[in-house]
Amino acid sequence: MTEVDLAGRVVELVRRLAGPGAEAEVVVTRADLALTRFANSFIHQNVAESGTTVRLRLHADGRTAAGSGSLVDPDGLTALVERTLSAARLCPPDPAWPGLTPPTPVPSGAAVDEATAAASPDERAARVRAFVDAVDGLEAAGYCRTAYRSGAFANSAGHSAVGRAAEAAMDGIARAGGADGVARQSADRLADLDGGALGARAAAKARAAADPVELPPGRYEVVLEPAAVADLLQNLAWYGFNGKRYAERQSFAEPGAAQFDPAVTLVDDPPHASGLPYDLEGTPRRALPLVEAGTTRAVAHDRRSGAEAGTGSTGHGMVGASTFGPLPHNLRLLPTGAPTGVAAGQLSAGVTGAVADPDTAALVAGMARGLLVSDFWYTRVLDPKQLVVTGLTRNGVWLVEDGVPTRAVRDFRFTESYPRALGPGRVLGLGRAPVRQPDRMDGSWWEAPALRLASWNFTGGASG
C-alpha cells in the first residue's frame, strides 16, 4: 500500500469510527536512512534503517489529540485511530483549534537525486576512504550519511499532497596530537560530497592548530567560519523566529524594526534544497524572508500560532510545535557579494593551513587584530528574550594580526547576545561562498558563508 493509500485509509477510518463531524489530518512518511561511521581512520559501523510512520491529529467534539504508529496493516491503522480518539476524549476542550488546511496547490519540490536515494554502503565508504587518505596519516573520525524520504498528506477537508526528498551529509575531524580540524557539508546529491577535499581541509586546520597559546578574555573582532555561523542560525531559529515564543513575548524579534546590520538577510528556504514540499499540517513550504537588509520581517507560524497572530501559517507545522513552537529549520544567511574592501582578484591569495579556503582568506585579510574561529559547540541560552548564549569554541581558533593568522589559540568560553553581535554596524564582511551544514533533525540544515563581526565577547578559557 502506498503512502497516499495509507493516508486516505486513516481518514476514512476516522470518519467511520468518530463520525462525519470529526476533523482529521494524516501524514505518512517512509524513511530510508543509512549511516557509515568511522573512527581511528577505520570504518567501524555501517547501519541502515527503513520504516514508515503514520501521524494522525484529530479534532472531535471540541477536543484535539494526536498519535502516531508504525504498524500499517489494517489492525495497526485501526488501533491508531481508536487510541487517538480515546486520548481526545480525555483532553480538555480546545477553543483555539485553527481548523484544517483547505485544499491548496502544493508545489512538487526540488528534484530528487535517485543515485543518492539508492546509495550503497560502498559509495559512502568511498567518501570515507578519500577523507582518510587526504588526512595523510592523521587520526580521522566522523560519518557519511544518506537519506531518502517519501510521503503523503491527507485530511478530511479534502486536501492532499505528496513529496519525495533525498540528502547526503559528511562530517569529519582530523587530529594532530591534541589539535582537531573539522570539515562538514550537506548536499542534495552524494556525488557533490568530496571526501578528499573535506579531509584535506580538516587536516590542514588540525596541523595549523598545534601548540596553541592562551590569550586573555575580552572582546575581539572575529571571523566565524560557516560551521560556527550555523550555530548562530540555529539559535536564532529556535529562540527568535519562533512564532510561539514571539506570541509569548519571549523572542527578541520585532517585525518592521532594523534589528540587524544591513548586510544581514535571512531566509528560511525549504525549496532551496531537496525536501518534502508540505509541513505536518499540509501547508505548502515556501521561502520565508525573516530579515531583509537588516530589517526583521517575519517569524515562523503553524496554523495555531498563525491564527493567534492573525497572519496564517507560514508552512512550519512540525512535530513538537505545541511544546517548542514552529521553527525555521532551513535557514540561509545570504551572501552579499565580495567581502568588504577586498577585490575579487584577491580571493585566491593568502590561503594557509588555518585559513583553508579563499572565501575566509578574504575576510581575514582585512582584520588588523582579532580571532579566526572554526566552530562553536555546547551552546546554551542564558537569556531567551535577548538571546544571550554561552558556549565554547572548538576545532581551531587562531590569532590574526595584520591580516595573517599568527598563532593557534586555546579554546575560549564565550557569552554573547547573538542579535547584538549581528546588529547595525557590527557586520564587517560576508563571504560569497555559503556552505550548507547538516543538522541532526530530519530535513534540517543551515547555510551560511564565513562572517566577519566587529566584536565577540570571550569570557575565559574553555575549562573556566
Side-chain angles (χ1 to χ4, degrees):
M1 189 178 296
T2 68
E3 292 90 342
V4 174
D5 294 333
L6 286 171
R9 176 71 63 85
V10 174
V11 170
E12 289 304 317
L13 282 170
V14 170
R15 287 178 174 143
R16 178 163 60 85
L17 296 174
E23 298 177 82
E25 59 187 19
V26 183
V27 178
V28 180
T29 306
R30 174 180 172 174
D32 299 319
L33 312 175
L35 177 74
T36 299
R37 185 174 286 157
F38 60 104
N40 297 318
S41 301
F42 291 94
I43 292 174
H44 67 95
Q45 185 181 49
N46 185 75
V47 294
E49 175 185 6
S50 294
T52 299
T53 301
V54 182
R55 299 187 185 277
L56 166 66
R57 185 170 68 162
L58 59 82
H59 184 74
D61 299 322
R63 302 167 191 267
T64 307
S68 64
S70 58
L71 300 177
V72 297
D73 61 308
D75 289 343
L77 297 179
T78 300
L80 170 62
V81 174
E82 289 176 341
R83 67 174 177 265
T84 308
L85 277 170
S86 296
R89 296 185 187 104
L90 299 175
C91 288
D94 181 12
W97 167 248
L100 300 173
T101 303
T104 306
V106 176
S108 58
V112 169
D113 181 61
E114 302 297 343
T116 300
S120 67
D122 285 346
E123 290 173 292
R124 291 188 299 277
R127 270 94 189 152
V128 174
R129 176 180 289 278
F131 189 101
V132 171
D133 288 347
V135 305
D136 194 23
L138 301 185
E139 290 185 32
Y143 70 80
C144 180
R145 76 179 188 209
T146 52
Y148 169 73
R149 296 176 180 84
S150 60
F153 173 91
N155 68 22
S156 54
H159 178 44
S160 63
V162 296
R164 302 169 68 226
E167 64 105 11
M170 191 165 192
D171 186 342
I173 63 169
R175 174 163 292 176
D180 293 341
V182 67
R184 61 177 71 103
Q185 185 181 358
S186 176
D188 292 346
R189 305 191 317 148
L190 181 60
D192 291 337
L193 297 182
D194 186 337
L198 293 172
R201 178 187 180 99
K205 295 183 76 66
R207 291 187 174 98
D211 300 321
V213 299
E214 188 164 344
L215 290 184
R219 287 200 167 272
Y220 290 83
E221 184 180 327
V222 292
V223 170
L224 305 181
E225 294 193 340
V229 180
D231 187 83
L232 274 69
L233 300 187
Q234 186 174 17
N235 278 290
L236 288 168
W238 273 81
Y239 294 95
F241 302 113
N242 175 328
K244 183 174 186 290
R245 298 194 69 89
Y246 176 74
E248 294 171 348
R249 300 185 179 181
Q250 290 297 307
S251 164
F252 67 82
E254 299 178 18
Q259 296 184 278
F260 297 88
D261 189 272
V264 175
T265 293
L266 294 170
V267 180
D268 190 57
D269 198 0
H272 181 66
S274 181
L276 298 180
Y278 52 86
D279 70 359
L280 197 67
E281 300 171 318
T283 304
R285 301 181 68 212
R286 298 188 171 94
L288 176 66
L290 300 170
V291 177
E292 292 182 319
T295 299
T296 302
R297 295 299 185 194
V299 298
H301 288 295
D302 58 8
R303 289 186 62 79
R304 186 178 295 272
S305 71
E308 292 173 357
T311 62
S313 173
T314 57
H316 289 84
M318 56 181 284
V319 177
S322 60
T323 300
F324 302 109
L327 309 174
H329 50 267
N330 301 125
L331 194 54
R332 301 173 65 203
L333 173 60
L334 300 188
T336 56
T340 302
V342 179
Q346 296 175 273
L347 291 174
S348 61
V351 180
T352 69
V355 185
D357 63 83
D359 208 41
T360 304
L363 294 176
V364 168
M367 182 186 290
R369 190 175 191 274
L371 297 175
L372 169 63
V373 179
S374 294
D375 201 3
F376 291 146
W377 76 305
Y378 222 86
T379 53
R380 298 293 184 267
V381 174
L382 301 178
D383 180 348
K385 176 71 172 179
Q386 302 300 322
L387 194 50
V388 176
V389 177
T390 188
L392 305 173
T393 63
R394 67 168 175 175
N395 298 321
V397 182
W398 292 269
L399 174 65
V400 176
E401 296 175 296
D402 296 325
V404 178
T406 56
R407 291 298 302 270
V409 176
R410 292 188 184 277
D411 283 317
F412 277 108
R413 173 168 291 281
F414 68 86
T415 301
E416 184 61 81
S417 166
Y418 282 8
R420 177 189 177 281
L422 295 168
R426 297 184 179 274
V427 176
L428 304 182
L430 278 170
R432 3 180 259 181
V435 180
R436 192 185 308 166
Q437 304 289 316
D439 188 88
R440 286 171 290 184
M441 288 179 61
D442 289 350
S444 296
W445 47 262
W446 318 97
E447 184 176 290
L451 174 65
R452 181 180 164 199
L453 298 176
S455 176
W456 196 265
N457 184 35
F458 295 98
T459 54
S463 61

